[in-house]
Amino acid sequence: MPEGGCLCGKIRYSVEGDPVGKALCHCLDCRKITGSTYSTNMIMPGPNFKLLAGTPKTFAKTAGSGNQIVSHFCGDCGSTLWRNTDAFGDAKIVKAGTLDDEDALDKVEPALELFTDHRVTWVGEIAGAAQKTGM
């Protein structure tokens, strides 16, 4: 079962099985929480996600869609590990870069890009990935 965690190691989680979705998100929130141009996400069914150690802090806000989205992050090192929203039911939107496997991002090739109207001009679209200007 693949595991992941925050930079300082205080928050640990595991995932089981295949994600139900793999997406890059170019929204402005994802820029802020990653400090980068987009986030790389795996949508994992709730029962396939287990918190193994630590208690993450949370930050909730209303997204552009009107839905509340909650970020779960380490209160010590600040790493955002996953997000959830009622729009996805009990699924967790896991930040793929927090997986321990150094090749994890190669295994999470996105099938979808979201909020492409916010993609920075010097980042090209992923060949074969569906392109959406919203969620």
Side-chain angles (χ1 to χ4, degrees):
M1 196 174 318
E3 292 188 12
C6 64
L7 183 62
C8 73
K10 290 184 179 174
I11 311 288
R12 301 288 305 155
Y13 69 86
S14 67
V15 292
E16 184 176 7
D18 293 327
V20 294
K22 299 179 280 187
L24 294 188
C25 185
H26 299 277
C27 79
L28 301 179
D29 285 352
C30 282
R31 284 191 196 181
K32 292 278 187 183
I33 64 173
T34 64
S36 190
T37 57
Y38 55 81
S39 65
T40 306
N41 304 287
M42 308 181 315
I43 313 327
M44 298 301 298
N48 295 25
F49 177 92
K50 302 281 185 263
L51 183 61
L52 301 174
T55 304
K57 289 192 172 196
T58 60
F59 172 75
K61 72 167 291 200
T62 301
S65 65
N67 292 319
Q68 185 175 68
I69 189 155
V70 180
S71 296
H72 300 261
F73 63 96
C74 177
D76 290 315
C77 68
S79 300
T80 298
L81 301 159
W82 75 92
R83 299 179 94 191
N84 61 282
T85 176
D86 289 343
F88 283 65
D90 68 350
K92 307 293 188 246
I93 306 162
V94 178
K95 302 303 175 187
T98 65
L99 288 165
D100 293 340
D101 180 355
E102 64 184 47
D103 296 322
L105 290 171
D106 286 329
K107 299 171 187 170
V108 186
E109 184 175 349
L112 173 65
E113 290 190 72
L114 300 168
F115 296 96
T116 56
D117 53 335
H118 292 293
R119 180 179 22 234
V120 297
T121 58
W122 48 267
V123 171
E125 72 178 54
I126 303 295
Q131 306 292 307
K132 291 184 72 175
T133 58
M135 185 65 136

